[in-house]
Amino acid sequence: MQNKQPQVETVQRFSVLHRFLHLVVMIGFTVLAVTGLSLAFSSQFWARAIMWILGGQENAGDVHRFFAVVTYSAVVAHLVWFLYYKLVLKGRWTGPRSLLPSMRDFKDMSEHFRFFFARRSRPPKFNKFSYLEKFDYWAFFLGMNTMGLTGLFLWFPEAFSRVLPGFFVNLAQVLHLYEAVMAIALKLVLHTITVHFRPSVYPGDTSIFTGNTTMEKMKHEHAGEWEARVAEDINTTPGK
Amino acid sequence: MRRRTPDQLIVSKGFTLDYKSHFQTRIPKHGALRLLPRFLIVVTALALCGVPEVWADASIGSDSSWFVDMNRYAASAHGALACEKCHDNIMEDGPNHPKTDNASLLDEATRNFDYGRCAACHASAVQRTREGAHAKALAEELAPPAEGAEASEKKKAPTCGECHSAHYAPSGRSRLETGKEMTETCGRCHPAHRASYLADFHGRAAVKLGNTRSAYCSDCHGAHNTVSLKENDKALAACLRCHPDADEGFSRVVIHASLDTIEQKEQEKKESLILVHRVRVVAFAVVALVLVFFFGHSFLWIMRELHEKLRNR
Amino acid sequence: MKKMLLILLIGIAGLGSFALFFPSDDGVKMEGSKRECLDCHRQRNVNTNEGVIASNAFCMECHAQPSCNRTEDGTAVSLQVPADAFAGTQHNYAACVHCHRDVAKSPHRSEAGVQCLECHTVHGEEAAGDPHLRVRCEACHTQSRFVELDRAADRVRLASMDDQGVPLSFTNHKMTEVYDKEFCAKCHFEGNSVGAAAMVLPGKSVLCIVCHNAPASVGHWMFKGALAVLLLGLFAMIFLWFQGSVAGERTSTHRKAALAAESVWGTIFSRKILSVLSTLFFDVLLQRRILKESVKRWTIHSMIYLAFIGRLILSLITMILYGLNPDGETTLALLDKNHWFTASVNDFLGLLIVLGVLWAAAQRFVSRPKHVLSEEQDNLTLLIIGLLTLSGFALEGARIYVTGVPGEVACYSFVGYSVAKAWGAFSSDAQRAYGILWYVHGAMWAAFLVYLPFSKLRHIITAPLNLIIRGDEKKE
């Protein structure tokens, strides 16, 4: 019976750990955004409604801090995994499958813009992670650290003002807000749009939840990686 | 230690007790299930486009008029007092009832009334007011100008009547109602401070979100003895009332952090405010540029892909 | 037993309320007898006639006296209100304090002035154009001819002195007959100091709804003519269509119309309406077909077309909101062209049109790609739209410059404010130019409407119809 189903060649794109971390960050970030924006826009009635549901501003603050810890532990877990990958598995962190930015990404971006303006007929051949995916990753990674740092200032102002001038708390308020607005606009809004509502992926890309992607999809979205895989297949299975 | 000498905490005299009784407004942390009805109410309210009363701002106004609204007067704290209790010297036949000539009609009601009378019932409040900055400003305003000195453009100093509506102020109001009203009352003369307080965490939590454990104006500045907190030790005394771990550096956090009142600040706070402002401008520019670039990028990408898709159909 | 108790209770309550509603001795005592505080100082219910009479008696104790006056520069100005000031007017049973809300206090001086909006609503486009939002009601509605601009409050109000420096008295409360347009001339003359146009301009037309909030009347003859030509053209278009055959019928016009109506009816009340709606949304509103041709062409077309649609939606919302709730916060924000939201959205959309027209013109005359067939018609269309929007911005700049909108308010009209700066630098007579530009802008729109049925512009009407009919055929 099973043989009658058309064979779709699936490839693993994300490990279970990465899927799990994405899920944690996704939920944590959303809760952080909702509780944080309710404080930032507290004169809006929807913000008061959310605060009221959560049982007051202090409860909302506790929820915010709890999920801040949860979200940041995802960052820590990711770092621990990276050390394990590097030291125990002796993995590579450069090369075409790496998340490290390279000159190639800038070239890809300019080529992509040429594609937008109809100067070339197909998008450039992205490797495993395109320049935008790398940007998403690094923006989040760095953003979580700055948000975490400024957030700590605001969590323990008494302790930090012992070592730093008092106005660092004011500074942290400003930066925490602006960075939050940027992160929400880039992640909650733009990341969702480009991953789910772009015509060529609509109605959504599930690979971050299932971990798998198809060769067909990869050929379209990450043609560089697809070519590398096809080449590997030919090299490793010569009889085929 | 100079931190907690009793005379510096005099601001909070009579205040600590009230404060503690309001500690219980918070919902227990593990009451998540209890919050379910709230959720349902909010969803229903949003569906009906109504705003529950809890979100409505307290209405404000110490409206001075020749006419007394007896309905509101009867419901107010002074509702049981006959007119003569406070106005016995200006009964119509008395010598002090305002005349209807042009000059007396332009007299200020709050400058004519002898607020010393309030002391008959509110002795400590009047006493503490007399010690405070408002009374000092009033004395300066009423003092005859020095020879040759030009009339200064200072703000009008407040008497009791500028802040309190003697006819309409209700009694026994909650900490939240009192706090919201005082934000507006103080804000009538200190609008920039009201705005910067409401933009600060304290104001957002206390006034906008109704967290009565946060600080209202008088919690830091005192009510009747109106303390300026420019001096760091005074500010620290105020901070310590809620932040027991605070020290010198903590009192340098700028609460009224707006450029509108920067001229009144000490040099050190001035500089740090300007720095914070610059950082804000840079942060705004960076955020705007990043967002314009990436949203533009995705817009172009989507339009291009839509075009390809339509063409290949 | 219970019944007895109930009757007793009702009886007591009835007697009590009788005593409450008919107190033995209330009202204003006349001179002579000794008065209690509350004889005068009780706040009356000015929503009742008796309350109004009692409340006014307090004021009139002084203001009926001939000796009641104020002194302005040593001159006595009468404050005596004539006993018959309100006889026969709508304000006959209004309390003094109902309009002069904040004056019954010490100091006896009004901060806010007379209040009309408690009972009356602000004017929409129907009675007076939106620049009049900055004019206080009494500046137009009282008979005094002298008005001034209060720069601090950005309001036009009655002047307290006439042009000779003689203080004025307004106590006769005489109001203007507003149907007599003569009263407009107290602001609208050459070289006025309140920032009004030098001429009395006609009101907007309902045809202006495409970009501006508009009243429900056609207005000036210019627009009446344009509407007549537009309707004639559309009629001719429909007439031409019915020259062909409809569903096999070739001769009888009546049959053709009946068959066409049948088909429309059948489409609306069937599942076909879904495909028609989807065509309307994707192909008409979002211009899917042009996107299929090229992203660039879609962008250029959308910059013009979607900007017009955006302004149409905004002005329709304004019109509807004004009808429903004229004093609402949102309504007032949308009516007020200087409000940051209205100003920036309108300026942004207008700028998109200008840029779209410029881009299209560049395609036509500079880069000339193969698919662009430059026809006279298209050039004229572009010219009309371009002049329409440019004159609109020039007009907006003149309005901002002439009315002297403060910079921190005007900066949200970012294009208009820049133009206003240019007016300040180069122009000598913007008040006059304002009027002329108004006619130019109106004439451009009239020209657009007149040209519409006779040019490619008729695609605005035919293209959606074609799409719907064709889409319909495709399904079958």
Side-chain angles (χ1 to χ4, degrees):
Chain A
M1 284 297 279
Q2 279 175 338
N3 294 341
K4 285 191 177 173
Q5 300 243 327
Q7 280 288 304
V8 180
E9 204 177 349
T10 59
V11 185
Q12 198 192 46
R13 181 160 160 80
F14 297 108
S15 72
V16 173
L17 179 72
H18 290 148
R19 283 174 244 165
F20 175 71
L21 289 183
H22 179 266
L23 200 64
V24 169
V25 159
M26 192 176 87
I27 294 168
F29 188 84
T30 312
V31 177
L32 284 173
V34 168
T35 48
L37 285 183
S38 301
L39 180 66
F41 295 95
S42 48
S43 43
Q44 304 294 317
F45 93 107
W46 55 262
R48 296 182 204 194
I50 290 168
M51 289 290 191
W52 196 59
I53 291 170
L54 291 172
Q57 173 263 319
E58 284 194 61
N59 278 11
D62 288 341
V63 170
H64 190 81
R65 285 182 281 265
F66 175 75
F67 277 93
V69 172
V70 168
T71 311
Y72 196 77
S73 23
V75 176
V76 174
H78 177 70
L79 279 177
V80 170
W81 170 83
F82 178 74
L83 288 178
Y84 172 78
Y85 170 80
K86 190 80 194 106
L87 300 177
V88 182
L89 297 182
K90 307 281 184 203
R92 288 185 63 197
W93 67 311
T94 52
R97 282 178 189 158
S98 134
L99 266 165
L100 271 188
S102 67
M103 283 315 290
R104 154 116 191 210
D105 294 316
F106 292 97
K107 204 168 143 267
D108 277 357
M109 187 167 78
S110 74
E111 286 298 308
H112 210 198
F113 268 101
R114 288 191 59 204
F115 166 69
F116 298 161
F117 292 116
R119 292 282 185 275
R120 56 180 285 163
S121 55
R122 312 191 121 269
K125 291 175 177 172
F126 296 124
N127 278 329
K128 185 170 182 184
F129 297 109
S130 74
Y131 68 96
L132 193 69
E133 286 157 344
K134 287 186 189 179
F135 170 79
D136 264 357
Y137 171 85
W138 283 104
F140 191 83
F141 183 79
L142 296 175
M144 273 305 109
N145 284 302
T146 50
M147 286 304 273
L149 192 66
T150 49
L152 274 182
F153 276 22
L154 300 174
W155 192 349
F156 304 109
E158 293 97 336
F160 278 97
S161 60
R162 276 167 205 271
V163 274
L164 292 166
F167 71 87
F168 264 69
V169 175
N170 295 77
L171 219 51
Q173 283 170 338
V174 171
L175 292 177
H176 202 76
L177 174 68
Y178 278 83
E179 174 123 26
V181 168
M182 182 162 80
I184 288 163
L186 283 182
K187 292 290 167 299
L188 275 189
V189 183
L190 200 61
H191 175 72
T192 314
I193 289 175
T194 44
V195 173
H196 294 287
F197 297 112
R198 217 156 29 81
S200 64
V201 287
Y202 185 82
D205 186 349
T206 53
S207 62
I208 194 66
F209 302 111
T210 63
N212 293 329
T213 186
T214 62
M215 284 302 270
E216 183 57 36
K217 214 176 202 171
M218 189 192 287
K219 187 178 173 183
H220 188 80
E221 292 284 307
H222 301 96
E225 166 76 359
W226 179 79
E227 276 174 6
R229 275 193 188 261
V230 171
E232 276 167 26
D233 273 2
I234 291 166
N235 291 341
T236 48
T237 53
K240 213 172 183 180
Chain B
M1 287 291 285
R2 62 181 159 72
R3 270 193 204 165
R4 299 185 192 202
T5 53
D7 56 8
Q8 278 174 337
L9 284 175
I10 205 161
V11 188
S12 65
K13 203 172 169 187
F15 145 79
T16 331
L17 268 175
D18 288 339
Y19 188 53
K20 278 197 173 149
S21 67
H22 285 284
F23 262 54
Q24 308 305 325
T25 50
R26 189 177 179 189
I27 284 181
K29 273 187 194 164
H30 304 294
L33 206 63
R34 285 203 220 166
L35 298 175
L36 187 68
R38 287 194 172 197
F39 179 74
L40 294 177
I41 290 173
V42 165
V43 169
T44 321
L46 288 179
L48 298 173
C49 281
V51 181
E53 191 62 23
V54 276
W55 301 327
D57 287 315
S59 68
I60 311 297
S62 75
D63 27 5
S64 159
S65 167
W66 288 334
F67 302 116
V68 181
D69 180 342
M70 291 309 288
N71 290 329
R72 283 172 67 204
Y73 179 71
S76 80
H78 290 165
L81 304 182
C83 311
E84 293 85 349
K85 180 80 181 168
C86 304
H87 297 289
D88 58 342
N89 62 333
I90 60 162
M91 302 308 289
E92 201 201 12
D93 297 338
N96 298 324
H97 189 279
K99 299 290 175 286
T100 54
D101 60 279
N102 285 349
S104 358
L105 275 172
L106 290 178
D107 281 346
E108 304 259 342
T110 54
R111 291 293 182 278
N112 276 351
F113 188 80
D114 174 16
Y115 286 103
R117 290 160 171 274
C118 301
C121 303
H122 306 281
S124 73
V126 169
Q127 182 53 38
R128 272 153 44 81
T129 308
R130 286 192 172 131
E131 292 161 4
H134 280 165
K136 214 176 99 192
L138 186 64
E140 278 169 23
E141 182 189 305
L142 297 180
E147 282 296 311
E150 285 186 28
S152 59
E153 286 288 307
K154 285 187 86 171
K155 269 189 286 195
K156 234 175 81 180
T159 59
C160 304
E162 249 86 32
C163 306
H164 298 283
S165 167
H167 289 154
Y168 306 130
S171 62
R173 275 187 297 180
S174 70
R175 180 169 153 79
L176 178 60
E177 284 172 315
T178 316
K180 279 187 173 181
E181 172 150 352
M182 96 174 52
T183 310
E184 298 308 311
T185 306
C186 304
R188 278 206 296 272
C189 298
H190 306 283
H193 287 93
R194 172 185 175 274
S196 50
Y197 163 70
L198 287 177
D200 184 68
F201 177 81
H202 292 100
R204 281 184 191 168
V207 176
K208 292 178 179 169
L209 300 173
N211 175 6
T212 51
R213 296 213 319 157
S214 181
Y216 299 101
C217 313
S218 63
D219 294 339
C220 301
H221 295 281
H224 285 112
N225 50 351
T226 52
V227 181
S228 158
L229 300 177
K230 275 181 196 158
E231 290 159 37
N232 266 356
D233 49 347
K234 281 190 183 161
L236 183 57
C239 298
L240 279 169
R241 259 172 262 139
C242 300
H243 301 270
D245 297 334
D247 83 339
E248 175 67 28
F250 186 73
S251 69
R252 291 175 198 276
V253 178
V254 191
I255 303 296
H256 294 285
S258 94
L259 293 180
D260 295 338
T261 49
I262 195 167
E263 287 312 314
Q264 301 167 22
K265 302 271 188 224
E266 306 294 297
Q267 188 58 31
E268 183 196 332
K269 281 194 176 169
K270 239 184 226 177
E271 281 164 12
S272 53
L273 265 187
I274 289 172
L275 180 72
V276 171
H277 175 67
R278 284 188 185 142
V279 170
R280 187 195 300 275
V281 172
V282 172
F284 180 84
V286 169
V287 170
L289 283 176
V290 168
L291 291 188
V292 165
F293 180 80
F294 281 100
F295 273 79
H297 172 272
S298 285
F299 176 76
L300 288 171
W301 194 359
I302 287 170
M303 290 327 287
R304 180 74 188 159
E305 283 196 353
L306 265 179
H307 167 71
E308 296 285 327
K309 202 170 182 178
L310 287 171
R311 174 155 280 196
N312 296 334
R313 227 173 28 175
Chain C
M1 189 60 203
K2 268 187 181 167
K3 226 177 201 172
M4 289 283 285
L5 206 67
L6 200 69
I7 290 169
L8 197 69
L9 275 175
I10 290 172
I12 293 171
L15 279 174
S17 54
F18 187 79
L20 273 177
F21 287 135
F22 299 96
S24 55
D25 186 12
D26 195 13
V28 179
K29 284 180 192 158
M30 290 302 107
E31 290 281 336
S33 57
K34 181 169 159 55
R35 295 190 280 195
E36 302 293 329
C37 305
L38 289 176
D39 287 343
C40 303
H41 290 288
R42 179 198 302 278
Q43 189 182 77
R44 308 291 170 169
N45 182 355
V46 294
N47 300 313
T48 65
N49 287 359
E50 289 308 321
V52 168
I53 290 166
S55 168
N56 285 2
F58 183 100
C59 307
M60 295 307 275
E61 195 165 316
C62 293
H63 283 278
Q65 309 299 328
S67 59
C68 182
N69 58 40
R70 68 188 158 94
T71 13
E72 186 113 1
D73 295 335
T75 323
V77 185
S78 173
L79 289 173
Q80 184 196 7
V81 179
D84 61 345
F86 294 101
T89 71
Q90 289 185 336
H91 294 139
N92 202 4
Y93 277 105
C96 306
V97 292
H98 212 137
C99 308
H100 300 280
R101 294 188 84 81
D102 65 341
V103 82
K105 63 169 177 36
S106 299
H108 188 34
R109 186 173 53 208
S110 175
E111 312 293 337
V114 66
Q115 294 297 307
C116 306
L117 297 179
E118 175 85 4
C119 304
H120 304 279
T121 62
V122 294
H123 295 307
E125 287 292 336
E126 190 78 57
D130 43 59
H132 291 101
L133 282 176
R134 67 201 279 275
V135 180
R136 288 190 59 96
C137 310
E138 68 271 18
C140 286
H141 286 279
T142 56
Q143 286 191 345
S144 169
R145 287 191 299 115
F146 304 101
V147 285
E148 64 185 14
L149 175 62
D150 178 2
R151 292 242 171 235
D154 191 27
R155 287 282 180 280
V156 176
R157 63 177 183 200
L158 282 180
S160 59
M161 287 182 235
D162 69 6
D163 46 4
Q164 310 296 321
V166 180
L168 295 167
S169 167
F170 307 112
T171 49
N172 63 10
H173 288 89
K174 282 273 181 292
M175 298 189 62
T176 318
E177 181 55 69
V178 286
Y179 298 104
D180 166 19
K181 299 287 181 198
E182 281 298 301
F183 80 109
C184 303
K186 67 177 156 184
C187 295
H188 291 275
F189 61 89
E190 198 100 3
N192 65 75
S193 60
V194 293
M199 54 184 101
V200 181
L201 294 166
K204 286 199 191 76
S205 158
V206 70
L207 298 174
C208 307
I209 192 75
V210 176
C211 280
H212 304 282
N213 172 39
S217 61
V218 185
H220 196 253
W221 59 261
M222 185 162 76
F223 297 118
K224 286 194 179 120
L227 183 63
V229 177
L230 176 67
L231 289 178
L232 270 177
L234 292 182
F235 183 76
M237 228 155 77
I238 294 166
F239 185 75
L240 278 175
W241 283 344
F242 278 97
Q243 293 299 302
S245 70
V246 175
E249 175 65 41
R250 288 173 186 282
T251 45
S252 162
T253 313
H254 171 75
R255 273 292 289 162
K256 287 180 192 169
L259 282 168
E262 186 64 46
S263 142
V264 169
W265 185 270
T267 309
I268 292 174
F269 293 100
S270 72
R271 288 184 63 184
K272 277 186 221 157
I273 189 70
L274 294 177
S275 76
V276 169
L277 285 179
S278 112
T279 308
L280 275 178
F281 183 73
F282 288 110
D283 290 323
V284 178
L285 189 66
L286 296 183
Q287 301 287 319
R288 183 163 59 180
R289 266 146 215 269
I290 304 182
L291 184 60
K292 188 178 172 182
E293 295 302 317
S294 136
V295 179
K296 191 204 263 175
R297 281 165 74 182
W298 180 86
T299 312
I300 297 176
H301 188 268
S302 295
M303 280 168 84
I304 300 170
Y305 161 79
L306 284 182
F308 270 109
I309 292 286
R311 290 192 64 146
L312 173 63
I313 290 171
L314 199 65
S315 37
L316 280 177
I317 290 175
T318 312
M319 199 187 193
I320 292 167
L321 275 183
Y322 180 75
L324 294 176
N325 180 18
D327 294 326
E329 210 176 316
T330 321
T331 318
L332 287 176
L334 289 175
L335 281 180
D336 181 6
K337 278 181 186 162
N338 292 326
H339 185 268
W340 65 266
F341 173 78
T342 318
S344 50
V345 169
N346 277 336
D347 260 35
F348 175 68
L349 294 177
L351 187 65
L352 278 189
I353 300 176
V354 172
L355 293 179
V357 167
L358 286 179
W359 195 350
Q363 288 277 310
R364 236 154 244 289
F365 304 114
V366 186
S367 60
R368 293 169 180 273
K370 272 182 218 139
H371 63 82
V372 176
L373 302 164
S374 194
E375 292 175 16
E376 292 297 313
Q377 274 199 359
D378 301 322
N379 298 344
L380 188 56
T381 306
L382 274 185
L383 187 71
I384 290 178
I385 300 178
L387 284 179
L388 176 73
T389 35
L390 286 180
S391 64
F393 276 127
L395 187 57
E396 188 192 19
R399 174 180 63 80
I400 291 170
Y401 175 64
V402 166
T403 55
V405 183
E408 69 267 25
V409 177
C411 60
Y412 294 106
S413 328
F414 45 92
V415 184
Y417 188 46
S418 324
V419 181
K421 290 269 183 198
W423 276 109
F426 299 115
S427 161
S428 53
D429 195 2
Q431 283 183 353
R432 194 175 180 69
Y434 183 95
I436 296 166
L437 272 170
W438 192 93
Y439 281 104
V440 170
H441 186 60
M444 278 300 139
W445 182 238
F448 182 90
L449 292 176
V450 166
Y451 193 46
L452 193 145
F454 306 105
S455 68
K456 263 179 146 181
L457 277 174
R458 68 171 170 264
H459 80 270
I460 294 173
I461 293 154
T462 54
L465 285 177
N466 273 338
L467 280 173
I468 291 167
I469 293 162
R470 280 224 310 272
D472 205 27
E473 283 165 357
K474 198 173 67 190
K475 293 272 154 48
E476 289 163 3

